[in-house]
Amino acid sequence: MTDAGGSARAGEDNLPSATRTYDRVLLKISGEALMGPQGYGLHPPTVARIAQEVRSVHDLGVEICMVIGGGNIFRGLQGSAQGMERTTADYMGMLATVMNALAMQAALEDEKIHTRVISAIPMDQVCEPYIRRRAVRHLEKKRVCIFAAGTGNPYFTTDTAATLRANEMSCQAIFKGTKVDGVYDMDPAKHAEARRYDRITYDEVLQKHLGVMDASAIALARDNRLPIVVFSLDEPGGFRGILAGKGTYTIVHD
């Protein structure tokens, strides 16, 4: 495989397509995943570690796009709960996702991965505007696309934005990176008897209020039969392992 400039990259270990479970995926992570042990903001070593995880999958020949939340900087719902007008608070949250996307872009480019930040809110001096056909072409050229600013509209979460973009990009699955290795029937941090699901349906997630993603995102995935793979982002090599057909995770499907 060659990089976006057309030159082969040393040390690549592409797997044949037949041994990969997916060829194009969207990775959804929360903004909180980037703050590491801190209580706020960006933790550069954590951002770098996640970039290395993404590179390990990119080196398999998988086309990757990403959506990153903004909760480590600002969360619209919390601002609204404190008396701020909801639309303004949501736009502030969207801008926080752009900051996180730029940080991840820098970390990925340190890993020699060509990356594009694509914003639903035009800001041409720092990133590209969202144009679907252009984004698809970036993926075909093995560039990582980071979709920022949600859907560009208030009242929609980054979970919904991730599901929308995954469908538009014809991704084969959404990978939801979390702090636990799948979906449980109760919080495993509080309940030792919590049971992890290997597979669960969209309707069960909604009926049991399991909190995998918000209801709009789950319904959109269900309507388009888009699987959601929930795994631990804290497990070294976990993302790559699943793409190679291994690892521990929960798959949400129809």
Side-chain angles (χ1 to χ4, degrees):
M1 189 178 73
T2 60
D3 64 20
S7 60
R9 204 168 59 227
E12 270 188 326
D13 53 348
N14 291 1
L15 295 179
S17 180
T19 67
R20 296 195 306 261
T21 49
Y22 302 103
D23 294 311
R24 179 181 293 175
V25 301
L26 185 141
L27 174 63
K28 167 63 171 68
I29 62 177
S30 67
E32 288 88 342
L34 303 185
M35 65 188 186
Q38 304 172 158
Y40 177 82
L42 291 158
H43 184 241
T46 298
V47 178
R49 179 185 62 79
I50 294 173
Q52 290 163 6
E53 293 285 327
V54 173
R55 176 179 177 167
S56 72
V57 171
H58 184 271
D59 285 350
L60 297 177
V62 178
E63 297 171 1
I64 305 168
C65 43
M66 299 179 68
V67 169
I68 307 172
N72 57 319
I73 299 172
F74 187 87
R75 185 181 293 277
L77 277 174
Q78 290 179 351
S80 177
Q82 294 172 8
M84 185 179 293
E85 194 270 327
R86 173 66 186 271
T87 300
T88 298
D90 279 355
Y91 278 120
M92 291 175 67
M94 291 179 216
L95 295 177
T97 72
V98 176
M99 295 172 67
N100 284 339
L102 291 171
M104 183 57 65
Q105 179 186 41
L108 286 168
E109 290 183 342
D110 281 346
E111 295 292 325
K112 311 303 180 187
I113 302 295
H114 291 269
T115 307
R116 297 291 184 272
V117 173
I118 301 172
S119 173
I121 300 174
M123 46 186 80
D124 295 345
Q125 290 179 304
V126 295
C127 50
E128 294 184 9
Y130 177 69
I131 300 172
R132 188 190 67 83
R133 290 175 63 88
R134 180 186 293 175
V136 169
R137 186 61 178 145
H138 286 321
L139 292 175
E140 291 171 347
K141 291 182 177 181
K142 305 303 179 185
R143 297 166 181 161
V144 172
C145 291
I146 307 176
F147 297 114
T151 66
N153 301 289
Y155 295 94
F156 290 93
T157 68
T158 51
D159 282 345
T160 301
T163 310
L164 174 64
R165 297 294 184 236
N167 280 301
E168 290 179 304
M169 295 298 106
S170 300
C171 291
Q172 295 165 313
I174 296 174
F175 277 68
K176 176 74 181 287
T178 70
K179 293 185 177 296
V180 294
D181 59 355
V183 179
Y184 285 78
D185 59 355
M186 59 185 75
D187 187 346
K190 299 178 180 178
H191 303 277
E193 70 276 17
R195 181 172 66 92
R196 185 179 61 81
Y197 298 97
D198 288 326
R199 308 178 73 88
I200 191 169
T201 68
Y202 307 108
D203 288 338
E204 286 177 307
V205 168
L206 293 172
Q207 291 165 5
K208 297 178 180 180
H209 304 285
L210 295 177
V212 176
M213 287 180 156
D214 66 69
S216 297
I218 295 294
L220 183 59
R222 178 191 60 193
D223 292 347
N224 292 276
R225 305 185 71 181
L226 179 67
I228 303 168
V229 179
V230 183
F231 71 106
S232 173
L233 196 64
D234 293 335
E235 179 67 28
F239 187 21
R240 178 188 172 98
I242 296 169
L243 267 295
K246 305 173 184 177
T248 303
Y249 57 90
T250 297
I251 184 165
V252 183
H253 64 110
D254 57 12

